[in-house]
Amino acid sequence: MKFSFVMSLVCFVVLLVAVVVLYVILSGLGVFDAISDTVNSLTKQQGDTTGGVDAGSWFSFARVFGYTVLVGALNVLLITALSTVGSVIYNLAADLVGGVEVTLKEAE
């Protein structure tokens, strides 16, 4: 349980770093601005200069990072719980079946 918890925490940190790096790259390339402009132009009324859906708020750093933290924390809980249950099931099956015994012999 301890090992799976530590490994899931490491994966959580890797996820956070990956999302921050991808967000910085995509924001620098202007992808979020292009998506926001496209959504705004598609949702505003014909001949209207303002209005439409504000898609820029969908891609704010706080919102993206917040959802990443939420999903990452949920993953930490689920990975820890599922690996604990999996190890218990494996140990029960190994006790029932007897497992596999490997004997190594030195070559002469």
Side-chain angles (χ1 to χ4, degrees):
M1 182 171 152
K2 292 179 215 174
F3 180 75
S4 63
F5 178 69
V6 170
M7 287 305 295
S8 60
L9 279 179
V10 168
C11 290
F12 177 64
V13 171
V14 168
L15 175 70
L16 290 179
V17 170
V19 166
V20 168
V21 168
L22 281 173
Y23 186 86
V24 168
I25 290 171
L26 291 176
S27 180
L29 291 173
V31 172
F32 299 129
D33 294 332
I35 292 173
S36 297
D37 291 341
T38 303
V39 170
N40 288 338
S41 67
L42 289 174
T43 57
K44 68 181 177 182
Q45 294 293 330
Q46 186 78 12
D48 217 3
T49 57
T50 60
V53 176
D54 181 28
S57 66
W58 298 346
F59 303 112
S60 68
F61 180 75
R63 179 173 276 187
V64 170
F65 194 73
Y67 284 139
T68 303
V69 169
L70 181 69
V71 169
L74 185 64
N75 276 339
V76 167
L77 292 174
L78 289 176
I79 289 171
T80 303
L82 288 176
S83 62
T84 303
V85 169
S87 65
V88 167
I89 290 173
Y90 172 78
N91 287 332
L92 287 174
D95 285 342
L96 181 66
V97 177
V100 177
E101 186 173 329
V102 177
T103 305
L104 301 175
K105 180 180 172 186
E106 279 190 36
E108 294 179 23

